[in-house]
Amino acid sequence: MHMSQEAGDEGYNIDAVHIAISLVDHSVLSEGSGTGHKLSVMDANAEASSMIRQYGSMYLHHGDMQMTLEYYAQAAIAVGGGQLVWSGRSNVDQQRQRNLMLKQLLTEILLREGGIYFLLGARGSGEEGELGRFFPDSKSRQQFLIEAANQCQDAGLFEKSIEIQKRVGAYAAALETINKCLSEAICSLLRGRSDGESRTAGLVLSGNEILDTYKYYPEVCPQERERVMEQETILRELEAILSIHKLARLGNHLEALKEAAKLPFLHLDPRLSDTTPDEFQRASSYFKTCVPDLLKVVLTCLDNVPDRDGSIRVMRSKIAGFLASNTHQNWPRDLYEKVARSF
């Protein structure tokens, strides 16, 4: 292993890497017996695996995913015992080590630019890409990809998460990710984010594309269908909120108020009686997130529309009553102050 200390391309010695691969593949590092020896073998395999992995990461840095994949696969095999993995004679612990590292390294490739196309192909969940080499059956591929999508979300890589979820037919999950991002984007738009409009438009478009694709997906269980319908409803609610903001921004205050009166859970329509305070609790968290800014916009619209029949006053009263019923929400203080000033 001392050859790895000698600098080669990008600081790694290619001869040392290939010798390590050969030693591991031929189980040279696994010869001998005894508990103490077992620990040293594990250390040697881990060291060889680390060296191979580092060399592979050099190719990833340069965008050569094919070479990266080959070295990463060797790194996973090395940590699992080399030839024992190839021959199927590795023990449970070795298989676990190999599978854990393989998933970790494949996920690393997947998250890179172009990684989804490389591993999964132009369509599907890996049948046409390199992923099928390592996960031949669709169930194991789906499990791996769902885990990868969750990692994308944790890392804030929502677009990749959505794409992966679409590939495995997890349309409800993809729509929920879009709704989460759209809710946040609507709030950012009102706070002056420069790319807010293009981002919200892109998210709505992505949601509609998912719904169109979902219609032609053959394998949808009743539970998934129900979840998709639920997320579609939330998407339409957020789309309506976005429309109200746009109308208000363009000075179409009366039209904005008409659209606001149609929203569920808030019940701002002056022609209808108030509902129970608990009804708002049924709204999604993504809808609730948008409500404080939405109510501020509605109040501004009310200030700019003449009250010819008393309906403007009724809407103000409805907003005040709604806020009084939801004081536990910890909404911004300036919202309550704006309501107080409107009377």
Side-chain angles (χ1 to χ4, degrees), residues 292-293 296 299 331-341:
D293 288 328
K296 291 178 188 177
L299 287 167
W331 283 331
R333 184 180 182 86
D334 62 337
L335 172 59
Y336 294 92
E337 293 173 349
K338 191 174 181 67
V339 172
R341 290 195 303 269

Side-chain angles (χ1 to χ4, degrees), residues 1-8 11-17 47 51 54:
M1 298 296 179
H2 73 276
M3 288 182 65
S4 64
Q5 307 301 320
E6 300 175 8
Y12 303 108
N13 188 300
I14 188 171
D15 292 331
V17 171
E47 187 176 349
M51 186 194 311
Q54 288 182 54

Side-chain angles (χ1 to χ4, degrees), residues 93-143:
D93 185 60
Q94 288 172 323
Q95 286 284 357
R96 183 182 63 82
Q97 293 275 5
R98 179 255 184 190
N99 291 338
L100 282 174
M101 177 164 280
L102 183 61
K103 287 182 178 181
Q104 180 184 351
L105 297 179
L106 287 174
T107 301
E108 190 178 328
I109 295 174
L110 191 69
L111 300 191
R112 299 288 290 215
E113 187 68 32
I116 292 177
Y117 185 88
F118 173 70
L119 285 179
L120 306 189
R123 58 184 179 180
S125 61
E127 305 89 341
E128 300 180 2
E130 295 288 341
L131 191 63
R133 287 172 50 189
F134 306 98
F135 297 101
D137 64 291
S138 59
K139 188 174 181 180
S140 62
R141 281 199 307 272
Q142 185 175 44
Q143 182 180 351

